[in-house]
Amino acid sequence: MTDPRLSPLTRRAFLAGGAALGALPLGVTRALGQQGEADVIIIGAGAAGISAARRIAEAGRSYVLIEATNRVGGRTVTDTAVFGVPLDLGAARLNMPAARPMAAYGRAEGLDIVRAPEGGRLYVNGREARDTDYEAFVATVRRAERAIGAAGDAGRDMPAARALPDLGPWGHTARFVVGPIGCAKDLDQVSTVDFARAEEREGEEICRQGIGTLVAQLARPLTVRLETVARSVELTGRLVTVQTNKGTLQGRSVIVAVPPSVIASGRLRILPNLQPRYRMAVEKITLGAYDHIAFRLPRNPAGFAADETVYFKADGPRAYMMRARIGGTDLYTLDVAGDVATGLANAAPEAAAAFAKEALTREFGADTAARMGKVHATRWSKEPYALGAFSCALPGYGNMRRAFIETVGGRMVFAGEHAHETLWGTVGGAWLSGERAARQVLGLIGVRSG
């Protein structure tokens, strides 16, 4: 979950650069015990599920929050074991202003949350770009964004790639930034309407302890049942019934805060079968691929500042982006997305390391590549309870995201980044969707919420 939108038009500018969530007292959470009926069952303890549970608890209602894995956070997870320093394996930045309340809470809890460097650095054929290159790159990205956005605004819901004019020598790079990096898909798989509705971001913030750490902190006052796999949701009968690997849960309403890919795969069944409108949304608002290839690179051979983003001119579809010196350390990530990420995820485990070494050799020379240390690559498309990185509508289905904001059968609502029309693909969007879902179910059970 990231946002590539670039504002500066020169190298100099390119390099230059809410209300807090209240702490939730443990006594107010009203989690349900092992027996009995809950006001709300929440499936999925990612950012959306956590947000929903907090809002329901604040309203004084009972909830059951279940999570299939052995941790909270969903696609926000911070690892400290592989490299000995915090590394976000999923979402790595907070997009502003949507995530401002989350950042304010984190700061109040003592987390180090700082503004990410603006823009990024650009390399061309093994050297840092000239001012004219920076200008041409940014202008081409803007041109691509405007063309796709214009088609979407006009209601022409088609593959974004078809909306593009001839982009010239920076075309491959611009397609990568606008498509795989921004949408987790190549542009032939991106809806122009969905793209056009994406809300402009004002900037990004970084949590030095990790975005996953921040989201886990937000879940701390809540009761979460881990390793509890929801297998079906049944909406018939007086109560909602959720069958899990650890027994049956019943409640007055349910929030489904899992990626649509999990439902489409059959891992979670909705009974009776979803009506065609909702089924189509599940099948057409699909998750794309976005992965980090993390590695150590000692002695800062290219002289990067902490947390710089580095773009590279691409001469074909095998493009990539780099996050340099994460947290001021010698840890880097090479970010791949779209078809390239899918190909690496389907390849042998060593393919990602080979890809990174080849990229470093091309951009910085064999001597720099030889310094590359330990490598760890994510494979979000292979994670069984994610099956992808973040959502983007397939061409022709940009309007289907609205189905995820509706009430299903009078007792079920969706939450997650896929369930926000304009902030999809962001942690802030997931969080806000959880708050919206909580308000909806509270209304369904007759509780006023602010």
Side-chain angles (χ1 to χ4, degrees):
M1 300 180 185
T2 187
D3 189 291
R5 290 170 173 77
L6 307 169
S7 57
L9 296 176
T10 67
R11 177 185 177 195
R12 180 179 299 172
F14 199 86
L15 292 171
L21 293 167
L24 195 63
L26 287 172
V28 121
T29 60
R30 288 209 60 193
L32 196 68
Q34 293 299 315
Q35 304 296 326
E37 166 190 327
D39 289 314
V40 186
I41 300 170
I42 305 166
I43 303 173
I50 291 166
S51 170
R54 288 178 64 104
R55 177 58 65 97
I56 290 160
E58 288 166 358
R61 311 309 297 188
S62 62
Y63 69 89
V64 176
L65 175 57
I66 64 173
E67 166 57 40
T69 69
N70 62 0
R71 59 170 182 81
V72 300
R75 285 164 283 162
T76 59
V77 52
T78 304
D79 177 86
T80 57
V82 175
F83 294 100
V85 295
L87 170 66
D88 277 314
L89 301 178
R93 300 204 170 181
L94 297 173
N95 294 104
M96 297 294 124
R100 191 165 288 137
M102 299 175 69
Y105 175 88
R107 290 188 179 98
E109 290 291 300
L111 297 179
D112 186 10
I113 298 176
V114 299
R115 185 82 169 187
E118 296 287 346
R121 197 169 294 201
L122 179 65
Y123 270 70
V124 179
N125 299 325
R127 60 167 176 79
E128 186 172 1
R130 301 182 181 93
D131 281 354
T132 54
D133 294 319
Y134 277 94
E135 291 164 2
F137 169 45
V138 174
T140 306
V141 170
R142 290 296 190 202
R143 191 177 175 204
E145 289 179 334
R146 283 195 298 269
I148 298 169
D153 289 339
R156 294 186 289 127
D157 198 340
M158 61 185 187
R162 284 177 46 197
L164 292 177
D166 180 3
L167 296 176
W170 287 94
H172 287 297
T173 315
R175 288 185 188 93
F176 169 70
V177 171
V178 174
I181 290 296
C183 304
K185 295 178 181 178
D186 286 64
L187 286 174
D188 60 342
Q189 296 294 304
V190 172
S191 157
T192 51
V193 167
D194 206 28
F195 183 96
R197 288 198 177 130
E199 189 173 319
E200 286 285 346
R201 280 62 151 171
E202 292 181 0
E204 297 178 325
E205 293 193 346
I206 300 167
C207 179
R208 296 292 189 203
Q209 292 81 12
I211 303 300
T213 300
L214 168 62
V215 173
Q217 190 88 334
L218 285 160
R220 191 177 59 175
L222 303 170
T223 299
V224 186
R225 300 187 189 182
L226 298 175
E227 298 180 306
T228 303
V229 182
R231 292 174 173 159
S232 67
V233 175
E234 187 171 351
L235 300 176
T236 58
R238 186 180 68 85
L239 298 172
V240 174
T241 300
V242 177
Q243 298 289 349
T244 80
N245 62 324
K246 295 184 178 180
T248 301
L249 299 171
Q250 289 192 311
R252 298 172 63 188
S253 60
V254 61
I255 296 173
V256 177
V258 302
S261 50
V262 174
I263 302 172
S265 71
R267 284 176 167 83
L268 175 62
R269 294 185 301 144
I270 311 296
L271 304 171
N273 291 335
L274 286 171
Q275 295 173 5
R277 172 175 172 76
Y278 303 112
R279 187 70 201 178
M280 186 174 291
V282 164
E283 293 173 350
K284 302 302 183 181
I285 310 294
T286 58
L287 269 63
Y290 190 119
D291 285 306
H292 308 295
I293 306 172
F295 56 91
R296 287 199 179 278
L297 189 63
R299 299 194 296 278
N300 192 14
F304 292 122
D307 299 302
E308 275 201 284
T309 299
V310 187
Y311 298 94
F312 304 94
K313 186 177 183 183
D315 56 13
R318 283 174 66 83
Y320 40 80
M321 181 185 79
M322 192 168 75
R323 303 285 195 191
R325 300 190 59 234
I326 295 171
T329 71
D330 61 2
L331 184 61
Y332 294 65
T333 65
L334 198 71
D335 288 9
V336 292
D339 291 346
V340 172
T342 299
L344 289 174
N346 290 332
E350 58 270 19
F355 184 93
K357 192 159 192 176
E358 178 185 337
L360 288 181
T361 301
R362 169 182 165 162
E363 307 300 345
F364 304 110
D367 289 346
T368 295
R371 299 182 191 178
M372 187 177 77
K374 185 176 184 177
V375 177
H376 178 80
T378 63
R379 290 182 169 193
W380 280 104
S381 61
K382 301 298 184 182
E383 293 292 329
Y385 299 109
L387 300 175
F390 59 90
S391 69
C392 184
L394 292 171
Y397 299 97
N399 288 319
M400 293 309 303
R401 204 179 284 275
R402 292 175 180 170
F404 288 131
I405 304 172
E406 298 171 3
T407 300
V408 182
R411 284 180 289 178
M412 185 179 88
V413 296
F414 295 99
E417 53 85 15
H418 61 281
H420 199 294
E421 279 197 282
T422 63
L423 291 167
W424 49 266
T426 69
V427 181
W431 185 268
L432 293 177
S433 81
E435 293 191 335
R436 182 263 308 153
R439 289 193 298 270
Q440 284 176 285
V441 295
L442 288 171
L444 291 175
I445 64 176
V447 179
R448 281 189 181 179
S449 63

